[in-house]
Amino acid sequence: MGAGDIIRLPYVYRVPLCRPFWSGRTYAALARCIGAGRVVYGPDIARLEARLAAFLGTPAAIACNSGRAALELALRATGVDAGDEVVVPTFCCASIIPPILAVGAVPVLADVGAGLTLTPETVEAALSSRTRAVVVAHLFGNPAPIEAIEALCRARGLVVVDDAAQALGAEVEGRRLGTFGDAGIVSFGNGKVCFGTGGGVLVSRERAVLEQARAVRFAPPAFASTLTRAAGVTVWRRWRRWSLPLQVALRRMLPAEAATAYAGRSMANLDATVASSLLDTLDANLAARRARVDEYRALLGDEVSWGLVPHAAGSACLTQVVSFHGGEHAALAVVKTLRDHGYEVDRSYRPLHLQSAYERHARGALPNAARAWPSLVELPCEPTVRMEDVRRIAEAVRAAAGT
Ligand SMILES: Cc1ncc(COP(=O)(O)O)c(C=O)c1O
């Protein structure tokens, strides 16, 4: 049986979705950590906090068990309170909602601009007298116009949270994302630039905010769930090429868990060890992602049938989003063709205001996001995707979109 036969087996993909970029050092660090009995407590947490603070240029960093927990910490540390409104983009991962609800605040969904992120105009349209904060998420590693949004918010006395969960290492004019606004976060969770065994980190340039964040007491991580999560990421995500068929079978037998649910805890040493090993390769990771974005642009460009959502200078290039002018029908055809060729690609986010669980958080129609999302497909940019595969993906896109 050749490789061609293997990829025709159901759920066995040549390039699985979001495969973490781990080196032998990541596995070695994991093994050392478990062998030394340092799963929950250990020196790697403080080490990771110090490294990230130095890398991002903040006085300190505070690690917790997820980006959602870091977001909750950011809201608590900046004084967001019960009943306050917090503006977030409707075109985003649903994970940003639970931390807002956890502090008793009210999420308010705002529309996005052509770059699929918040803009000063879409933020302004979502403000009310009860607005207390705006969470600016940089989707796909691509910087949102954070400086302009910050200027608008400063003039109104609003808190800005710089959500760089998807954009670790990205920068705007030499300043790293995560460090704008009053507080910021980065994540080592599922599908992120540094996809580790989980974890999130709060940063801020404001010492007072950092002090407030330190005063929030999260429970320590649990030994068993830390190990289970690390094993799950390793087997189901890192080894996804071979484990996906089993996962699909198990999923059919077991009840589904809400992907956005979380319990805020401090970071486990094991997660910090893995995250640190990923910081060692961050430069190579970013360079590879940017090279893949350049290659997609060279091979696909903007055509009559599609346009590539551009990455601004300094983007961390998490994925390359393509908008198909033939709408949802064309996007679905591209996804199917790519999957048939062994590439597990997906469409992009369905705007939150179009999902029954979140529609009550929108004040009115949010037309840009509603119009854009059906036509979108995300092409992979992980360093684990070889350039040869990028070329095959581009060819398959051309074939599917009929040019
Ligand atoms: C923009 C954004 N913010 C926050 C989060 C939460 O991060 P985590 O998955 O580490 O909890 C995510 C997760 O996908 C995200 O995309």
Side-chain angles (χ1 to χ4, degrees):
M1 186 185 272
D5 299 310
I6 292 171
I7 61 166
R8 264 183 245 122
L9 291 173
Y11 305 111
V12 176
Y13 291 101
R14 180 203 299 272
V15 172
L17 193 67
C18 305
R19 188 158 160 259
F21 177 48
W22 290 8
S23 65
R25 287 169 68 172
T26 305
Y27 288 105
L30 252 173
R32 247 195 333 271
C33 187
I34 294 169
R38 290 187 160 159
V39 169
V40 172
Y41 299 106
D44 294 328
I45 305 161
R47 222 174 272 150
L48 176 72
E49 289 175 337
R51 277 189 81 179
L52 266 175
F55 175 70
L56 294 170
T58 56
I62 300 173
C64 42
N65 67 340
S66 67
R68 285 154 290 175
L71 199 47
E72 179 184 331
L73 210 52
L75 296 170
R76 292 193 189 284
T78 52
V80 175
D81 228 330
D84 289 341
E85 288 185 356
V86 178
V87 173
V88 294
T90 185
F91 188 74
C92 194
C93 169
S95 297
I96 54 166
I97 302 293
I100 299 170
L101 300 175
V103 304
V106 181
V108 173
L109 300 172
D111 208 353
V112 292
L116 302 175
T117 56
L118 293 177
T119 67
E121 295 74 28
T122 63
V123 168
E124 188 145 32
L127 299 180
S128 82
S129 57
R130 290 180 302 279
T131 310
R132 179 86 183 91
V134 177
V135 178
V136 183
H138 307 280
L139 286 206
F140 321 117
N142 203 14
I146 182 82
E147 288 171 304
I149 296 172
E150 199 177 345
L152 169 81
C153 292
R154 291 265 173 267
R156 310 279 178 106
L158 302 175
V159 166
V160 176
V161 177
D162 184 10
D163 180 346
Q166 297 192 12
L168 176 58
E171 55 186 47
V172 170
E173 304 202 357
R175 181 167 161 191
R176 304 257 188 225
L177 293 187
T179 68
F180 289 83
D182 300 272
I185 68 152
V186 298
S187 163
F188 293 93
N190 188 3
K192 308 302 190 300
V193 174
C194 289
F195 183 175
T197 47
V201 179
L202 168 119
V203 287
S204 175
R205 285 154 66 117
E206 308 291 332
R207 287 182 192 276
V209 170
L210 291 164
E211 242 166 65
Q212 290 293 323
R214 283 200 198 291
V216 177
R217 288 272 152 228
F218 275 150
F223 177 82
S225 61
T226 302
L227 272 187
T228 313
R229 184 164 83 167
V233 172
T234 309
V235 173
W236 304 126
R237 304 312 310 258
R238 173 70 197 169
W239 300 343
R240 185 176 178 87
R241 184 158 183 203
W242 311 115
S243 62
L244 183 60
L246 178 60
Q247 193 182 26
V248 171
L250 288 175
R251 227 189 271 138
R252 284 183 187 145
M253 291 187 292
L254 300 171
E257 256 179 60
T260 55
Y262 78 102
R265 290 176 181 269
S266 52
M267 186 180 266
N269 191 62
L270 182 137
D271 295 332
T273 306
V274 170
S276 242
S277 82
L278 302 181
L279 286 187
D280 291 341
T281 54
L282 180 57
D283 283 347
N285 182 340
L286 291 171
R289 289 176 183 282
R290 289 168 179 157
R292 279 145 188 77
V293 161
D294 289 346
E295 192 71 359
Y296 283 127
R297 182 145 297 278
L299 295 170
L300 291 171
D302 292 326
E303 294 262 356
V304 280
S305 304
W306 64 75
L308 271 55
V309 176
H311 281 273
S315 171
C317 297
L318 188 65
T319 64
Q320 175 61 63
V321 182
V322 185
S323 172
F324 290 92
H325 304 324
E328 185 161 29
H329 178 74
L332 286 170
V334 168
V335 168
K336 177 170 184 324
T337 303
L338 284 170
R339 288 184 171 228
D340 289 347
H341 282 70
Y343 298 102
E344 192 193 5
V345 302
D346 239 333
R347 298 170 71 196
S348 200
Y349 302 108
R350 174 192 282 264
L352 297 172
H353 75 283
L354 300 180
Q355 301 183 36
S356 56
Y358 308 108
E359 63 191 1
R360 67 181 185 282
H361 297 303
R363 289 226 170 81
L366 303 174
N368 297 343
R371 210 178 308 116
W373 84 272
S375 323
L376 304 178
V377 175
E378 292 186 29
L379 301 182
C381 295
E382 293 87 62
T384 49
V385 180
R386 293 172 312 166
M387 282 303 227
E388 186 189 322
D389 286 310
V390 168
R391 282 171 213 126
R392 288 193 182 145
I393 288 169
E395 262 171 42
V397 166
R398 283 194 173 278
T403 65

